[in-house]
Coordinates of all heavy atoms in Angstrom, one line a residue:
M1 N 0.8 -1.2 0.0 CA 0.0 0.0 0.0 C 0.9 1.3 0.0 O 1.8 1.4 0.8 CB -0.9 0.0 1.2 CG -1.9 1.1 1.3 SD -2.9 0.9 2.8 CE -4.3 1.8 2.2
A2 N 0.6 2.2 -0.9 CA 1.4 3.4 -1.0 C 1.2 4.3 0.3 O 0.1 4.4 0.8 CB 1.0 4.2 -2.2
E3 N 2.3 4.9 0.7 CA 2.2 5.8 1.9 C 1.6 7.1 1.5 O 1.8 7.6 0.4 CB 3.7 6.0 2.4 CG 3.7 6.8 3.7 CD 5.1 6.9 4.2 OE1 5.8 6.0 4.1 OE2 5.4 8.0 4.7
R4 N 0.6 7.5 2.3 CA -0.1 8.8 2.0 C 0.8 9.9 2.4 O 1.6 9.9 3.3 CB -1.3 8.9 2.9 CG -2.4 7.9 2.4 CD -3.7 8.0 3.2 NE -3.9 9.2 4.0 CZ -4.7 9.3 5.0 NH1 -5.4 8.3 5.4 NH2 -4.8 10.4 5.6
P5 N 0.7 11.0 1.6 CA 1.6 12.2 1.8 C 1.1 12.8 3.1 O -0.1 12.8 3.5 CB 1.3 13.1 0.6 CG -0.1 12.7 0.2 CD -0.2 11.2 0.4
K6 N 2.0 13.5 3.8 CA 1.7 14.3 5.0 C 1.0 15.6 4.6 O 1.6 16.3 3.7 CB 2.9 14.5 5.8 CG 2.6 15.2 7.2 CD 3.8 15.2 8.1 CE 3.3 15.5 9.5 NZ 4.1 15.0 10.5
Y7 N -0.1 15.9 5.1 CA -0.8 17.1 4.8 C -0.3 18.3 5.6 O -0.1 18.1 6.8 CB -2.3 16.9 5.1 CG -3.0 16.0 4.1 CD1 -2.9 14.6 4.3 CD2 -3.7 16.5 3.0 CE1 -3.6 13.7 3.4 CE2 -4.3 15.6 2.1 CZ -4.2 14.2 2.3 OH -4.8 13.4 1.4
I8 N 0.0 19.4 4.9 CA 0.4 20.6 5.5 C -0.7 21.6 5.3 O -0.9 22.0 4.1 CB 1.8 21.1 5.0 CG1 2.8 20.0 5.3 CG2 2.2 22.4 5.7 CD1 4.2 20.3 4.7
L9 N -1.3 22.1 6.4 CA -2.5 22.9 6.3 C -2.2 24.2 7.1 O -1.6 24.2 8.2 CB -3.7 22.2 6.9 CG -3.9 20.8 6.4 CD1 -5.0 20.1 7.2 CD2 -4.3 20.8 4.9
K10 N -2.7 25.3 6.6 CA -2.7 26.6 7.3 C -4.1 27.1 7.3 O -4.8 27.3 6.2 CB -1.8 27.6 6.6 CG -0.3 27.2 6.7 CD 0.5 28.3 6.2 CE 2.0 27.9 6.3 NZ 2.9 29.1 6.0
L11 N -4.6 27.4 8.5 CA -6.0 28.0 8.6 C -5.8 29.4 9.1 O -5.3 29.7 10.2 CB -6.8 27.2 9.6 CG -8.2 27.8 9.9 CD1 -9.1 27.8 8.6 CD2 -8.9 27.0 11.0
F12 N -6.3 30.4 8.3 CA -6.3 31.8 8.7 C -7.6 32.2 9.2 O -8.7 31.9 8.6 CB -6.0 32.6 7.4 CG -4.5 32.6 7.0 CD1 -4.1 31.5 6.2 CD2 -3.6 33.5 7.4 CE1 -2.7 31.4 5.9 CE2 -2.3 33.4 7.0 CZ -1.8 32.4 6.3
V13 N -7.6 32.8 10.4 CA -8.8 33.2 11.1 C -8.7 34.6 11.6 O -7.6 35.2 11.5 CB -9.1 32.2 12.3 CG1 -9.4 30.8 11.8 CG2 -8.0 32.2 13.3
S14 N -9.8 35.1 12.1 CA -9.7 36.5 12.7 C -10.2 36.5 14.1 O -11.4 36.5 14.4 CB -10.5 37.5 11.8 OG -11.9 37.0 11.8
G15 N -9.3 36.4 15.0 CA -9.6 36.5 16.5 C -10.7 35.4 16.9 O -10.6 34.3 16.5
I16 N -11.6 35.9 17.6 CA -12.7 35.0 18.1 C -14.0 35.2 17.4 O -15.0 34.9 18.0 CB -12.8 35.1 19.7 CG1 -13.2 36.6 20.0 CG2 -11.6 34.6 20.4 CD1 -13.5 36.8 21.5
M17 N -13.9 35.6 16.2 CA -15.2 35.7 15.4 C -15.8 34.3 15.3 O -15.2 33.3 15.3 CB -14.9 36.2 14.0 CG -14.2 37.6 13.9 SD -15.2 39.0 14.2 CE -16.2 38.9 12.7
Q18 N -17.1 34.3 15.3 CA -17.9 33.1 15.3 C -17.5 32.1 14.2 O -17.3 30.9 14.4 CB -19.4 33.3 15.3 CG -20.2 32.1 15.5 CD -21.7 32.4 15.5 OE1 -22.2 33.5 15.3 NE2 -22.5 31.5 15.9
N19 N -17.4 32.6 13.0 CA -17.0 31.8 11.9 C -15.6 31.2 12.1 O -15.3 30.1 11.7 CB -17.0 32.5 10.5 CG -18.4 32.5 9.9 OD1 -19.3 31.8 10.4 ND2 -18.6 33.3 8.9
S20 N -14.7 32.0 12.6 CA -13.3 31.5 12.9 C -13.3 30.4 13.9 O -12.6 29.4 13.7 CB -12.4 32.7 13.3 OG -12.3 33.6 12.3
V21 N -14.0 30.6 15.0 CA -14.1 29.6 16.0 C -14.7 28.3 15.5 O -14.1 27.2 15.7 CB -14.9 30.0 17.3 CG1 -15.1 28.9 18.2 CG2 -14.2 31.2 17.9
R22 N -15.7 28.4 14.7 CA -16.3 27.2 14.0 C -15.4 26.5 13.1 O -15.3 25.3 13.1 CB -17.6 27.7 13.3 CG -18.6 26.5 13.1 CD -20.0 26.9 12.6 NE -20.1 28.2 11.9 CZ -20.7 29.3 12.4 NH1 -21.3 29.2 13.5 NH2 -20.8 30.4 11.7
A23 N -14.6 27.3 12.3 CA -13.7 26.8 11.4 C -12.6 26.0 12.1 O -12.2 24.9 11.7 CB -13.0 27.9 10.5
I24 N -12.1 26.5 13.2 CA -11.1 25.8 14.0 C -11.6 24.5 14.5 O -10.9 23.5 14.4 CB -10.6 26.7 15.2 CG1 -9.8 27.9 14.6 CG2 -9.7 25.9 16.1 CD1 -9.6 29.0 15.6
K25 N -12.8 24.5 15.1 CA -13.4 23.2 15.6 C -13.6 22.2 14.4 O -13.2 21.1 14.6 CB -14.7 23.5 16.2 CG -14.6 24.2 17.6 CD -16.0 24.4 18.2 CE -15.8 25.2 19.5 NZ -17.1 25.4 20.1
N26 N -14.1 22.7 13.3 CA -14.3 21.8 12.2 C -13.1 21.2 11.6 O -13.0 20.0 11.3 CB -15.1 22.6 11.1 CG -16.6 22.8 11.5 OD1 -17.1 22.2 12.4 ND2 -17.2 23.8 10.9
I27 N -12.0 22.0 11.4 CA -10.8 21.5 10.8 C -10.1 20.5 11.8 O -9.5 19.5 11.4 CB -9.9 22.6 10.2 CG1 -8.8 21.9 9.3 CG2 -9.2 23.3 11.4 CD1 -9.4 21.2 8.1
N28 N -10.1 20.8 13.1 CA -9.6 19.9 14.0 C -10.3 18.6 14.0 O -9.6 17.5 14.0 CB -9.6 20.5 15.4 CG -8.4 21.5 15.7 OD1 -7.3 21.2 15.3 ND2 -8.7 22.6 16.4
R29 N -11.6 18.6 13.9 CA -12.4 17.4 13.9 C -12.0 16.6 12.6 O -11.8 15.4 12.6 CB -13.9 17.6 13.9 CG -14.7 16.4 14.0 CD -16.2 16.6 14.2 NE -16.7 17.3 13.1 CZ -17.2 18.5 13.0 NH1 -17.3 19.3 14.1 NH2 -17.7 19.0 11.9
V30 N -12.0 17.2 11.4 CA -11.7 16.6 10.2 C -10.3 16.0 10.2 O -10.1 14.8 9.8 CB -11.8 17.5 9.0 CG1 -11.2 17.0 7.7 CG2 -13.3 17.9 8.7
C31 N -9.3 16.7 10.7 CA -8.0 16.2 10.8 C -7.8 15.0 11.7 O -7.2 14.0 11.3 CB -7.0 17.3 11.3 SG -6.7 18.6 10.0
E32 N -8.5 15.0 12.9 CA -8.4 13.9 13.8 C -9.1 12.7 13.3 O -8.7 11.5 13.5 CB -8.9 14.3 15.2 CG -7.9 15.1 15.9 CD -6.5 14.4 16.1 OE1 -6.5 13.3 16.6 OE2 -5.5 15.0 15.7
E33 N -10.2 12.9 12.6 CA -11.0 11.7 12.0 C -10.4 11.2 10.7 O -10.6 9.9 10.5 CB -12.5 12.1 11.9 CG -13.2 12.4 13.2 CD -14.6 12.8 12.9 OE1 -15.1 12.8 11.8 OE2 -15.3 13.2 14.0
H34 N -9.8 12.0 9.9 CA -9.5 11.5 8.6 C -8.0 11.6 8.2 O -7.5 11.0 7.3 CB -10.2 12.3 7.5 CG -11.7 12.2 7.6 ND1 -12.4 11.1 7.1 CD2 -12.7 13.0 8.2 CE1 -13.7 11.2 7.4 NE2 -13.9 12.3 8.1
L35 N -7.2 12.3 9.0 CA -5.8 12.5 8.7 C -4.9 12.1 9.9 O -3.7 12.5 10.0 CB -5.5 14.0 8.3 CG -6.2 14.5 7.1 CD1 -5.9 16.0 7.0 CD2 -5.9 13.7 5.9
K36 N -5.5 11.4 10.9 CA -4.8 11.1 12.1 C -3.3 10.8 11.9 O -2.9 10.0 11.1 CB -5.5 9.9 12.7 CG -5.1 9.5 14.1 CD -5.9 10.4 15.1 CE -5.6 9.9 16.5 NZ -5.8 11.0 17.4
D37 N -2.5 11.6 12.7 CA -1.0 11.4 12.7 C -0.4 11.6 11.3 O 0.7 11.2 11.1 CB -0.6 10.0 13.2 CG -1.1 9.8 14.6 OD1 -1.1 10.8 15.4 OD2 -1.4 8.6 15.0
N38 N -1.1 12.3 10.4 CA -0.6 12.5 9.1 C -0.8 13.9 8.6 O -1.0 14.1 7.4 CB -1.3 11.5 8.1 CG -0.5 11.3 6.8 OD1 0.7 11.4 6.8 ND2 -1.2 11.2 5.7
Y39 N -0.7 14.9 9.5 CA -0.9 16.2 9.1 C -0.2 17.2 10.1 O 0.1 16.9 11.2 CB -2.4 16.6 9.1 CG -3.0 16.6 10.5 CD1 -3.1 17.9 11.2 CD2 -3.5 15.5 11.1 CE1 -3.7 17.9 12.4 CE2 -4.1 15.6 12.4 CZ -4.2 16.8 13.0 OH -4.7 16.9 14.3
E40 N 0.1 18.4 9.5 CA 0.5 19.5 10.3 C -0.5 20.6 10.1 O -0.7 21.0 8.9 CB 1.9 20.0 9.8 CG 3.0 19.1 10.1 CD 4.4 19.6 9.6 OE1 4.5 20.8 9.3 OE2 5.2 18.7 9.3
L41 N -1.0 21.2 11.1 CA -2.0 22.2 11.0 C -1.5 23.4 11.8 O -1.2 23.4 13.0 CB -3.4 21.8 11.6 CG -4.4 22.8 11.7 CD1 -4.8 23.4 10.4 CD2 -5.7 22.3 12.5
E42 N -1.4 24.6 11.1 CA -1.0 25.8 11.7 C -2.2 26.8 11.6 O -2.8 27.0 10.6 CB 0.1 26.4 10.9 CG 0.6 27.7 11.5 CD 1.8 28.3 10.8 OE1 2.3 27.7 9.8 OE2 2.3 29.4 11.2
I43 N -2.6 27.3 12.8 CA -3.7 28.2 12.9 C -3.1 29.6 13.0 O -2.4 29.8 14.0 CB -4.7 27.9 14.0 CG1 -5.3 26.5 13.7 CG2 -5.8 28.9 14.1 CD1 -6.1 25.9 14.8
I44 N -3.5 30.5 12.1 CA -2.9 31.8 12.1 C -4.0 32.9 12.3 O -4.9 32.9 11.5 CB -2.2 32.1 10.8 CG1 -1.0 31.0 10.6 CG2 -1.6 33.5 10.7 CD1 -0.8 30.6 9.2
D45 N -3.9 33.7 13.3 CA -4.8 34.7 13.6 C -4.3 36.0 12.9 O -3.2 36.5 13.2 CB -5.0 35.0 15.1 CG -6.0 36.0 15.4 OD1 -6.3 36.9 14.6 OD2 -6.5 36.0 16.6
I46 N -5.0 36.5 11.9 CA -4.5 37.6 11.1 C -4.3 38.9 11.9 O -3.6 39.8 11.5 CB -5.4 37.9 9.9 CG1 -6.8 38.3 10.3 CG2 -5.4 36.7 9.0 CD1 -7.6 38.9 9.1
Y47 N -5.0 39.0 13.1 CA -4.8 40.2 13.9 C -3.5 40.1 14.7 O -2.8 41.1 14.9 CB -5.9 40.3 14.9 CG -7.2 40.7 14.3 CD1 -8.4 39.9 14.5 CD2 -7.4 41.8 13.5 CE1 -9.6 40.2 13.9 CE2 -8.5 42.1 12.9 CZ -9.7 41.3 13.1 OH -10.8 41.7 12.5
Q48 N -3.0 38.9 15.0 CA -1.8 38.7 15.7 C -0.6 38.6 14.8 O 0.5 38.9 15.1 CB -1.8 37.5 16.6 CG -2.8 37.7 17.8 CD -2.9 36.5 18.7 OE1 -2.1 35.5 18.6 NE2 -3.8 36.5 19.6
Q49 N -0.9 38.1 13.5 CA 0.2 37.9 12.6 C -0.2 38.5 11.2 O -0.3 37.7 10.2 CB 0.5 36.4 12.4 CG 1.0 35.8 13.7 CD 1.4 34.3 13.5 OE1 2.0 33.9 12.6 NE2 0.9 33.5 14.4
P50 N -0.4 39.8 11.1 CA -0.9 40.3 9.8 C 0.1 40.1 8.7 O -0.3 40.0 7.5 CB -1.1 41.8 10.2 CG -0.2 42.1 11.4 CD -0.2 40.8 12.1
E51 N 1.4 40.0 9.0 CA 2.4 39.8 7.9 C 2.1 38.5 7.2 O 2.4 38.4 6.0 CB 3.8 39.9 8.5 CG 4.2 38.8 9.4 CD 3.7 38.8 10.8 OE1 3.0 39.8 11.2 OE2 3.8 37.8 11.5
M52 N 1.6 37.5 7.9 CA 1.4 36.2 7.3 C 0.2 36.3 6.3 O 0.2 35.7 5.3 CB 1.1 35.1 8.4 CG 2.2 34.7 9.2 SD 3.5 33.8 8.3 CE 2.6 32.2 8.1
A53 N -0.8 37.1 6.7 CA -2.0 37.3 5.8 C -1.5 38.0 4.6 O -2.0 37.7 3.4 CB -3.0 38.0 6.5
I54 N -0.7 39.0 4.7 CA -0.2 39.7 3.5 C 0.7 38.8 2.6 O 0.5 38.7 1.4 CB 0.7 40.9 4.0 CG1 -0.3 41.9 4.7 CG2 1.4 41.5 2.8 CD1 0.5 43.0 5.4
K55 N 1.5 38.0 3.3 CA 2.4 37.1 2.5 C 1.6 36.1 1.7 O 1.9 35.8 0.5 CB 3.3 36.3 3.5 CG 4.2 35.3 2.8 CD 5.1 34.6 3.8 CE 5.8 33.5 3.1 NZ 6.4 32.5 4.1
E56 N 0.5 35.6 2.3 CA -0.3 34.6 1.6 C -1.5 35.2 0.8 O -2.3 34.5 0.2 CB -0.9 33.6 2.6 CG 0.1 32.7 3.3 CD 0.7 31.6 2.3 OE1 0.1 31.4 1.2 OE2 1.6 31.0 2.7
Q57 N -1.5 36.5 0.8 CA -2.5 37.3 0.0 C -3.9 36.9 0.4 O -4.8 36.6 -0.4 CB -2.3 37.1 -1.5 CG -1.0 37.6 -2.0 CD -0.7 37.3 -3.4 OE1 -1.5 36.7 -4.1 NE2 0.3 37.9 -3.9
I58 N -4.2 36.9 1.7 CA -5.5 36.5 2.3 C -6.4 37.8 2.2 O -6.1 38.8 2.7 CB -5.3 36.1 3.8 CG1 -4.4 34.9 3.9 CG2 -6.7 35.8 4.4 CD1 -4.8 33.7 3.1
I59 N -7.5 37.6 1.6 CA -8.5 38.7 1.5 C -9.9 38.3 2.1 O -10.7 39.1 2.3 CB -8.7 39.1 0.0 CG1 -9.1 38.0 -0.9 CG2 -7.4 39.8 -0.5 CD1 -9.5 38.4 -2.3
V60 N -10.0 37.0 2.4 CA -11.3 36.5 3.0 C -10.9 35.5 4.1 O -10.0 34.8 3.9 CB -12.2 35.8 1.9 CG1 -13.4 35.2 2.5 CG2 -12.5 36.7 0.8
I61 N -11.7 35.6 5.2 CA -11.4 34.6 6.2 C -12.7 34.1 6.8 O -13.7 34.8 6.7 CB -10.6 35.3 7.4 CG1 -11.2 36.7 7.7 CG2 -9.1 35.4 7.1 CD1 -10.9 37.2 9.0
P62 N -12.7 32.9 7.4 CA -11.6 32.0 7.5 C -11.3 31.4 6.1 O -12.2 31.2 5.3 CB -12.1 31.0 8.5 CG -13.6 31.1 8.5 CD -13.9 32.4 8.0
V63 N -10.0 31.0 6.0 CA -9.6 30.3 4.7 C -8.6 29.3 5.1 O -7.7 29.5 5.9 CB -9.0 31.3 3.7 CG1 -7.8 32.0 4.2 CG2 -8.7 30.5 2.4
L64 N -8.7 28.1 4.6 CA -7.8 27.0 4.8 C -7.0 26.9 3.6 O -7.5 26.8 2.4 CB -8.6 25.7 5.0 CG -7.7 24.4 5.1 CD1 -6.9 24.4 6.4 CD2 -8.6 23.2 5.0
I65 N -5.6 26.9 3.7 CA -4.7 26.7 2.6 C -4.1 25.3 2.8 O -3.5 25.0 3.8 CB -3.6 27.8 2.6 CG1 -4.2 29.2 2.5 CG2 -2.7 27.5 1.4 CD1 -3.2 30.3 2.5
I66 N -4.3 24.5 1.8 CA -3.6 23.2 1.7 C -2.3 23.4 1.0 O -2.3 23.5 -0.2 CB -4.5 22.1 1.0 CG1 -5.9 22.0 1.8 CG2 -3.8 20.8 1.0 CD1 -7.1 22.0 0.9
K67 N -1.2 23.4 1.8 CA 0.1 23.7 1.2 C 0.7 22.4 0.6 O 1.4 22.5 -0.4 CB 1.0 24.2 2.3 CG 0.7 25.5 2.9 CD 0.6 26.6 1.9 CE 1.9 27.5 2.0 NZ 1.9 28.5 1.0
Y68 N 0.4 21.3 1.1 CA 0.9 20.0 0.6 C -0.1 18.9 1.0 O -0.7 18.9 2.1 CB 2.3 19.7 1.3 CG 3.0 18.6 0.5 CD1 3.7 18.9 -0.6 CD2 2.9 17.3 0.9 CE1 4.4 17.9 -1.3 CE2 3.5 16.3 0.3 CZ 4.3 16.6 -0.9 OH 4.9 15.6 -1.6
P69 N -0.4 18.0 0.1 CA 0.2 17.7 -1.2 C -0.2 18.8 -2.2 O -1.2 19.4 -2.1 CB -0.2 16.3 -1.6 CG -1.5 16.1 -0.8 CD -1.4 16.9 0.4
L70 N 0.8 19.0 -3.1 CA 0.5 19.9 -4.2 C -0.5 19.4 -5.2 O -0.7 18.2 -5.3 CB 1.9 20.2 -5.0 CG 2.9 20.8 -4.1 CD1 4.3 20.9 -4.9 CD2 2.5 22.2 -3.7
P71 N -1.2 20.2 -5.9 CA -1.1 21.7 -6.0 C -1.7 22.3 -4.7 O -2.6 21.8 -4.1 CB -1.8 22.0 -7.2 CG -2.9 21.0 -7.3 CD -2.3 19.7 -6.8
E72 N -1.2 23.5 -4.4 CA -1.8 24.3 -3.3 C -3.2 24.6 -3.6 O -3.6 25.0 -4.7 CB -1.0 25.6 -3.1 CG -1.5 26.4 -1.9 CD -0.6 27.6 -1.7 OE1 0.6 27.4 -1.4 OE2 -1.2 28.7 -1.8
R73 N -4.1 24.4 -2.6 CA -5.5 24.7 -2.8 C -6.0 25.5 -1.6 O -5.4 25.5 -0.5 CB -6.3 23.4 -2.8 CG -6.1 22.7 -4.1 CD -6.2 21.2 -4.0 NE -5.0 20.8 -3.1 CZ -4.9 19.6 -2.5 NH1 -5.9 18.7 -2.6 NH2 -3.9 19.3 -1.8
R74 N -7.1 26.2 -1.8 CA -7.7 27.1 -0.8 C -9.2 26.7 -0.6 O -9.9 26.5 -1.6 CB -7.6 28.6 -1.1 CG -6.1 29.0 -1.0 CD -5.9 30.4 -1.4 NE -4.5 30.7 -1.3 CZ -4.0 31.8 -0.8 NH1 -4.8 32.7 -0.2 NH2 -2.7 32.0 -0.8
F75 N -9.6 26.7 0.6 CA -11.0 26.4 1.0 C -11.5 27.6 1.9 O -11.0 27.8 2.9 CB -11.1 25.1 1.7 CG -12.5 24.6 1.8 CD1 -13.1 23.7 0.9 CD2 -13.3 25.0 2.9 CE1 -14.4 23.3 1.1 CE2 -14.6 24.6 3.0 CZ -15.2 23.7 2.1
I76 N -12.5 28.3 1.4 CA -13.0 29.5 2.1 C -14.3 29.1 2.9 O -15.1 28.4 2.3 CB -13.3 30.6 1.2 CG1 -12.0 31.1 0.5 CG2 -13.9 31.8 1.9 CD1 -12.1 32.0 -0.7
G77 N -14.4 29.6 4.1 CA -15.6 29.4 4.9 C -15.3 28.8 6.2 O -14.2 28.6 6.6
D78 N -16.4 28.4 6.9 CA -16.3 27.9 8.3 C -16.0 26.4 8.3 O -15.9 25.8 9.4 CB -17.5 28.2 9.1 CG -18.7 27.4 8.7 OD1 -18.7 26.6 7.8 OD2 -19.8 27.7 9.3
L79 N -15.8 25.7 7.2 CA -15.4 24.3 7.0 C -16.4 23.4 7.6 O -16.1 22.3 8.0 CB -14.0 24.1 7.7 CG -12.9 25.1 7.3 CD1 -11.6 24.8 8.1 CD2 -12.6 25.0 5.8
S80 N -17.7 23.8 7.5 CA -18.7 22.9 8.0 C -19.2 21.8 7.1 O -19.8 20.8 7.5 CB -19.9 23.7 8.5 OG -20.4 24.5 7.4
D81 N -18.9 22.0 5.8 CA -19.2 21.0 4.8 C -18.1 20.0 4.7 O -17.1 20.1 3.9 CB -19.5 21.7 3.4 CG -20.0 20.7 2.4 OD1 -19.8 19.5 2.5 OD2 -20.7 21.2 1.5
V82 N -18.1 18.9 5.5 CA -17.1 18.0 5.6 C -16.8 17.3 4.3 O -15.7 17.1 3.9 CB -17.4 16.9 6.7 CG1 -16.3 15.8 6.7 CG2 -17.4 17.6 8.1
D83 N -17.9 16.9 3.5 CA -17.7 16.2 2.2 C -16.8 17.1 1.3 O -16.0 16.6 0.6 CB -19.0 15.9 1.6 CG -19.6 14.7 2.3 OD1 -18.9 13.9 3.0 OD2 -20.9 14.5 2.1
K84 N -17.1 18.4 1.2 CA -16.3 19.3 0.4 C -14.9 19.3 0.8 O -14.0 19.3 0.0 CB -16.9 20.7 0.4 CG -18.0 20.9 -0.7 CD -18.3 22.4 -0.7 CE -19.3 22.7 -1.8 NZ -19.7 24.1 -1.9
I85 N -14.6 19.4 2.1 CA -13.3 19.5 2.6 C -12.5 18.2 2.2 O -11.4 18.2 1.7 CB -13.2 19.6 4.1 CG1 -13.8 21.0 4.5 CG2 -11.8 19.5 4.7 CD1 -14.1 21.1 6.0
L86 N -13.2 17.0 2.4 CA -12.6 15.8 2.1 C -12.3 15.7 0.6 O -11.2 15.1 0.2 CB -13.4 14.6 2.5 CG -13.6 14.5 4.1 CD1 -14.6 13.3 4.4 CD2 -12.3 14.3 4.8
K87 N -13.1 16.2 -0.3 CA -12.9 16.2 -1.7 C -11.7 17.1 -2.0 O -10.8 16.8 -2.8 CB -14.1 16.7 -2.5 CG -15.2 15.6 -2.5 CD -16.4 16.1 -3.2 CE -17.5 15.1 -3.1 NZ -18.8 15.6 -3.7
V88 N -11.6 18.3 -1.4 CA -10.5 19.2 -1.6 C -9.2 18.6 -1.2 O -8.1 18.7 -1.8 CB -10.7 20.6 -0.9 CG1 -9.5 21.4 -0.9 CG2 -11.9 21.3 -1.6
L89 N -9.3 17.8 -0.1 CA -8.1 17.1 0.4 C -7.8 15.8 -0.4 O -6.8 15.1 -0.1 CB -8.3 16.8 1.9 CG -8.3 17.9 2.9 CD1 -8.7 17.5 4.3 CD2 -6.9 18.6 2.9
H90 N -8.6 15.5 -1.3 CA -8.5 14.3 -2.1 C -8.6 13.0 -1.3 O -7.9 12.0 -1.5 CB -7.3 14.3 -3.0 CG -7.2 15.4 -3.9 ND1 -8.1 15.6 -5.0 CD2 -6.3 16.5 -4.0 CE1 -7.8 16.7 -5.6 NE2 -6.7 17.2 -5.1
I91 N -9.4 13.0 -0.3 CA -9.6 11.8 0.6 C -10.8 11.0 0.1 O -10.8 9.8 0.2 CB -9.8 12.3 2.1 CG1 -8.5 12.9 2.5 CG2 -10.2 11.1 2.9 CD1 -8.6 13.4 3.9
I92 N -11.8 11.7 -0.5 CA -12.9 11.0 -1.1 C -13.1 11.4 -2.6 O -12.5 12.4 -3.0 CB -14.3 11.2 -0.4 CG1 -14.7 12.6 -0.4 CG2 -14.2 10.6 1.0 CD1 -16.1 12.8 0.1

């Protein structure tokens, strides 16, 4: 069986906004249920690290950036549609 690539994910949020809190909970759940021990997740608050938002050209939040496996992809929203997330991650 081929080894699955390690997923490298960055979630950009804005403080404790309701959508941001929901996105954090949702991506943590997806990662633990579907990527167990096979991912790195970095959560970036654009208020605390505005330079990261500028570097990644973030204009909408919350946004999940899938850095690896390539190609890089972005998923905008609170990440409540698990099926869509799994498709973007190429899990289903």
Side-chain angles (χ1 to χ4, degrees):
M1 182 178 209
E3 188 175 317
R4 287 180 22 198
K6 185 167 195 157
Y7 289 83
I8 300 174
L9 312 169
K10 291 186 178 190
L11 177 63
F12 286 82
V13 296
S14 60
I16 57 171
M17 302 280 293
Q18 187 175 11
N19 274 352
S20 294
V21 172
R22 199 167 30 245
I24 293 167
K25 287 180 184 177
N26 289 336
I27 195 60
N28 278 321
R29 186 175 66 245
V30 166
C31 287
E32 284 303 304
E33 290 178 9
H34 299 279
L35 303 175
K36 190 83 171 154
D37 299 326
N38 198 36
Y39 71 95
E40 290 177 23
L41 173 62
E42 183 178 2
I43 298 171
I44 300 147
D45 184 333
I46 64 166
Y47 291 124
Q48 293 181 7
Q49 298 181 48
E51 69 285 349
M52 291 289 292
I54 293 166
K55 178 182 173 196
E56 292 288 350
Q57 300 177 352
I58 302 299
I59 56 173
V60 177
I61 44 159
V63 62
L64 175 68
I65 301 178
I66 299 135
K67 298 297 259 179
Y68 195 83
L70 297 173
E72 182 175 299
R73 289 148 292 164
R74 293 178 182 225
F75 190 96
I76 297 167
D78 69 3
L79 309 174
S80 59
D81 189 337
V82 174
D83 285 341
K84 270 190 176 177
I85 297 169
L86 295 177
K87 285 178 186 173
V88 170
L89 292 171
H90 300 298
I91 294 174
I92 61 170

